[in-house]
Amino acid sequence: MVVPVIDFSKLDGAERAETLAQIANGCEEWGFFQLVNHGIPLELLERVKKVSSDCYRLREAGFKASEPVRTLEALVDAERRGEVVAPVDDLDWEDIFYIHDGCQWPSEPPAFKETMREYRAELRKLAERDMEAMDENLGLARGTIKDAFSSGGRHEPFFGTKVSHYPPCPRPDLITGLRAHTDAGGVILLFQDDRVGGLEVLKDGQWTDVQPLAGAIVVNTGDQIEVLSNGRYRSAWHRVLPMRDGNRRSIASFYNPANEATISPAAVQASGGDAYPKYVFGDYMDVYAKHKFQAKEPRFEAVKVAAPKSSPAA
């Protein structure tokens, strides 16, 4: 099985219907797909790669002193002493930091801020075009998903970026790169390493590689798209495996609802009725923060119980 690769430039041409069908298939069958010819200049992507790698070099010493490294070293030492050790199940072999409009950005390397601002602006436009394609495929009015994320324009959707590196791991059998989970938010756009693999998506009970592809943007649907689509689109479980060789770069951007946004199914099920509750996104995030690596269904139930207390009055 291969994660779908879609030529996004054909969305505006004679092959629009076929391209929409490919996007629908990616959302319905995988929860993941890759976009090529997406309109983001390759020269900009090369600059993003450079400033992200330069930034990690400034952070590398900190990672080597971090808890995952210390924990793994302790396990290896215990193993050498003849002790039986078990893999770590509550840490990830990952160096990360987040950027968004309301936080402090790294000042080094000097080109980081300018490059990432330019990149995020392009990516935000791509996310909104992708959401419009989802609207059309779901039979919704254009802008329905964006409107839900912004509470009808009253609040600004959250757009954040997670810059990650997964350095070479001497014992990938004892720790994970990133534990399996679904994403809490809306539409996630990932600029992943084009040489070092490790990202896997769960498809039909089988872990499948999200193959590195130069210049591509990986798109996956989060929990809120699953709810808005009334279950037609699924947020997929995914994980990152640690690698012995290569430092995997991963830049994931999240187009999420505003915390104040009320989320509920917008699409209609063939059988009628709604498969998901109505709730405030900020309430969902409170639950997700505590249960990220657990099944998503109890999270929906938890906010369903909380909804009467948290939802704004009709």
Side-chain angles (χ1 to χ4, degrees):
M1 294 189 292
V2 178
V3 173
V5 177
I6 301 170
D7 184 342
F8 203 59
S9 67
K10 294 182 178 180
L11 189 64
D12 296 324
E15 298 178 59
R16 178 178 178 81
E18 179 182 345
T19 306
L20 284 169
Q22 291 172 346
I23 293 171
N25 175 71
C27 293
E28 293 175 9
E29 300 298 326
W30 287 85
F32 267 76
F33 53 92
Q34 302 207 55
L35 296 180
V36 296
N37 298 324
H38 39 62
I40 300 177
L42 295 181
E43 175 272 335
L44 174 57
L45 294 181
E46 288 299 317
R47 284 193 280 130
V48 170
K49 286 163 63 174
K50 183 179 188 309
V51 296
S52 298
S53 296
D54 289 348
C55 198
Y56 174 72
R57 280 191 281 272
L58 298 172
R59 298 171 54 86
E60 187 172 11
F63 176 75
K64 290 181 177 179
S66 67
E67 185 179 2
V69 174
R70 297 195 309 271
T71 300
L72 186 60
E73 289 174 345
L75 285 176
V76 172
D77 287 344
E79 194 176 58
R80 287 173 181 153
R81 294 193 299 268
E83 300 176 22
V84 177
V85 300
V88 178
D89 61 4
D90 60 353
L91 287 174
D92 301 309
W93 188 263
E94 179 185 33
D95 175 78
I96 61 170
F97 64 92
Y98 293 89
I99 56 175
H100 55 82
D101 291 342
C103 76
Q104 184 76 28
W105 291 29
S107 57
E108 296 291 338
F112 182 87
K113 289 183 180 179
E114 178 184 353
T115 299
M116 294 304 290
R117 284 196 184 104
E118 183 180 351
Y119 170 69
R120 278 167 44 83
E122 291 288 339
L123 211 62
R124 184 169 188 146
K125 290 187 290 186
L126 179 61
E128 291 178 349
R129 289 193 66 206
D130 194 56
M131 289 191 297
E132 288 177 355
M134 293 180 187
D135 287 333
E136 188 169 346
N137 280 330
L138 291 168
L140 303 172
R142 182 175 180 176
T144 294
I145 296 175
K146 181 180 179 181
D147 190 66
F149 283 8
S150 65
S151 288
R154 292 190 299 275
H155 302 285
E156 186 70 18
F158 178 80
F159 188 68
T161 298
K162 173 186 171 186
V163 181
S164 306
H165 282 83
Y166 301 89
C169 180
R171 289 295 301 273
D173 57 316
L174 291 179
I175 197 168
T176 59
L178 178 60
R179 286 163 283 172
H181 64 287
T182 65
D183 287 326
V187 176
I188 299 86
L189 299 100
L190 169 68
F191 181 34
Q192 70 165 343
D193 203 290
D194 54 15
R195 294 185 180 181
V196 183
L199 175 62
E200 294 185 332
V201 57
L202 189 63
K203 162 71 169 160
D204 298 333
Q206 178 180 336
W207 287 105
T208 302
D209 290 334
V210 181
Q211 64 274 23
L213 183 61
I217 298 294
V218 179
V219 179
N220 71 280
T221 48
D223 295 347
Q224 308 315 305
I225 294 294
E226 178 171 329
V227 173
L228 285 164
S229 72
N230 217 357
R232 183 168 161 187
Y233 296 167
R234 292 283 179 175
S235 60
W237 285 85
H238 53 286
R239 67 184 183 184
V240 177
L241 301 181
M243 297 291 176
R244 287 186 179 274
D245 302 308
N247 185 4
R248 173 182 168 80
R249 180 190 59 258
S250 173
I251 305 165
S253 295
F254 305 82
Y255 196 115
N256 289 354
N259 274 344
E260 301 87 349
T262 298
I263 302 298
S264 63
V268 178
Q269 283 192 328
S271 59
D274 292 339
Y276 299 85
K278 180 178 181 179
Y279 55 85
V280 175
F281 179 63
D283 291 343
Y284 186 82
M285 286 303 296
D286 289 343
V287 175
Y288 182 85
K290 300 172 184 175
H291 304 288
K292 174 178 179 177
F293 302 106
Q294 299 173 24
K296 59 190 169 184
E297 290 78 11
R299 299 197 293 258
F300 295 132
E301 286 301 311
V303 290
K304 180 179 180 180
V305 171
K309 178 177 64 177
S310 303
S311 296

